[in-house]
Amino acid sequence: MSKVNEAALKKRTSISTLHKMKQKGEKFATLTAYDASFAQLFDEQGVAMLLIGDSLGNVVQGLDDTLGVTTDDIAYHTRCVRRATQGALIVADLPFMSYATPQQACENAAMLMRAGAQMVKLEGGEWVCDTIRTLVERSVPVCAHIGLMPQSVHVMGGYKVQGKSEEDAARILRDAKAVEAAGAQLLVIECVSKKVAKAVTEALSIPVIGIGAGPDTDGQVLVMHDMFGISAGHTPKFSKNFLIETGNMQDAVARYVSDVAEGRFPAAEHSFD
């Protein structure tokens, strides 16, 4: 059988796959990806989901934040990632101010889906639910993102851990339930206390993917540069340099995937109380 036919027969991870993993208590690993070479490496090592994140503004474009990233940027990198993968679910970020209205969200989501995304991700809680409903009604799967939201960094006053007070924790849980009810099929929760993340994960039927959210979420996501220890400047507390302990990139990714699946990552030192 030709390699082309073998590739065609390989089954790509679906949203349903991740839902079944949650039901079985099986944890899964996600990484950001921005180009074909790394996307192929991650795909071959069994990363379940690849996110073309607006974090590319920081790690690829050298920006101070994610706000300068455009939909055209995300679409370009999505095409690169999709061409090189066979197994991972491909999720693309809707960048800053690309979903200010439901109509705008539909237009930009269509661009990303045509570029190869199987799902789009957007930030926001209750206020974004009308947009989520509109997208889902028009056959665009949605991954929501709550907690620390990098696109709202200036409103939040910086990159701060969320959910510290009882009031803030309750708001995060309300947001999580609201986006699920609106039709979101996955949820990313970033930089919250592990207690809050656990409560959200247990309250929702959809898979919850944590980044800086402790060990009790259904999956984990890291920015690839952080996982390899090559990010310029500050390395987040919630990340881990898997490359330094394995010696090569393939083994580093494989270790990350297995550590997430077996509950070894994140450990206490990567979590917020």
Side-chain angles (χ1 to χ4, degrees):
M1 183 180 293
S2 71
K3 290 184 177 180
V4 173
N5 289 337
E6 288 177 1
L9 290 173
K10 184 172 181 179
K11 188 174 182 180
R12 188 177 289 272
T13 298
S14 67
I15 299 166
S16 296
T17 305
L18 301 185
H19 278 244
K20 290 175 183 177
M21 292 182 74
K22 178 184 176 86
Q23 293 166 6
K24 295 177 181 178
E26 298 173 356
K27 296 181 182 293
F28 59 90
T30 299
L31 280 172
T32 63
Y34 317 99
D35 66 23
S37 296
F38 279 108
Q40 182 176 347
L41 186 158
F42 301 159
D43 198 50
E44 290 173 347
Q45 297 303 319
V47 177
M49 174 175 140
L50 295 179
L51 171 65
I52 298 86
D54 57 7
S55 51
L56 69 87
N58 305 106
V59 297
V60 176
Q61 297 175 335
L63 302 176
D64 292 332
D65 52 41
T66 66
L67 306 188
V69 177
T70 67
T71 308
D72 285 337
D73 292 335
I74 298 290
Y76 169 81
H77 290 277
T78 298
R79 285 191 289 271
C80 296
V81 170
R82 182 59 188 261
R83 291 186 193 116
T85 59
Q86 299 175 18
L89 179 72
I90 307 299
V91 182
D93 265 347
L94 281 167
F96 178 66
M97 290 302 289
S98 68
Y99 50 99
T101 66
Q103 180 180 352
Q104 187 184 30
C106 288
E107 292 170 355
N108 288 311
M111 182 187 299
L112 299 183
M113 297 289 281
R114 292 186 186 112
Q118 297 166 277
M119 175 179 246
V120 299
K121 182 171 77 66
L122 49 74
E123 297 179 7
E126 291 178 321
W127 70 269
V128 82
C129 285
D130 284 345
T131 298
I132 293 174
R133 279 188 286 268
T134 299
L135 288 169
V136 173
E137 286 170 357
R138 287 153 180 80
S139 302
V140 178
V142 174
C143 174
H145 182 148
I146 63 172
L148 174 63
M149 295 176 286
Q151 292 176 16
S152 302
V153 61
H154 298 305
V155 174
M156 290 182 163
Y159 298 97
K160 299 177 180 180
V161 178
Q162 305 296 302
K164 287 186 174 181
S165 69
E166 290 186 8
E167 180 181 0
D168 198 27
R171 176 187 58 78
I172 290 171
L173 184 57
R174 285 198 307 272
D175 282 343
K177 291 179 178 179
V179 296
E180 179 182 41
Q185 292 175 281
L186 295 177
L187 176 69
V188 169
I189 185 166
E190 180 170 358
C191 281
V192 301
S193 70
K194 57 186 179 183
K195 180 180 179 181
V196 171
K198 182 178 181 181
V200 168
T201 304
E202 292 175 347
L204 268 57
S205 62
I206 63 174
V208 177
I209 303 167
I211 177 167
D216 297 309
T217 55
D218 303 301
Q220 298 292 329
V221 57
L222 286 178
V223 173
M224 55 165 281
H225 296 71
D226 292 341
M227 190 209 69
F228 288 137
I230 57 175
S231 293
H234 175 68
T235 299
K237 166 187 169 70
F238 54 75
S239 189
K240 178 181 178 181
N241 184 345
F242 285 86
L243 180 59
I244 200 169
E245 65 179 32
T246 57
N248 69 71
M249 289 182 171
Q250 287 85 353
D251 288 346
V253 177
R255 178 73 60 84
Y256 168 60
V257 171
S258 63
D259 280 4
V260 170
E262 296 172 21
R264 293 189 296 268
F265 178 83
E269 63 265 30
H270 308 115
S271 305
F272 301 103
D273 293 322

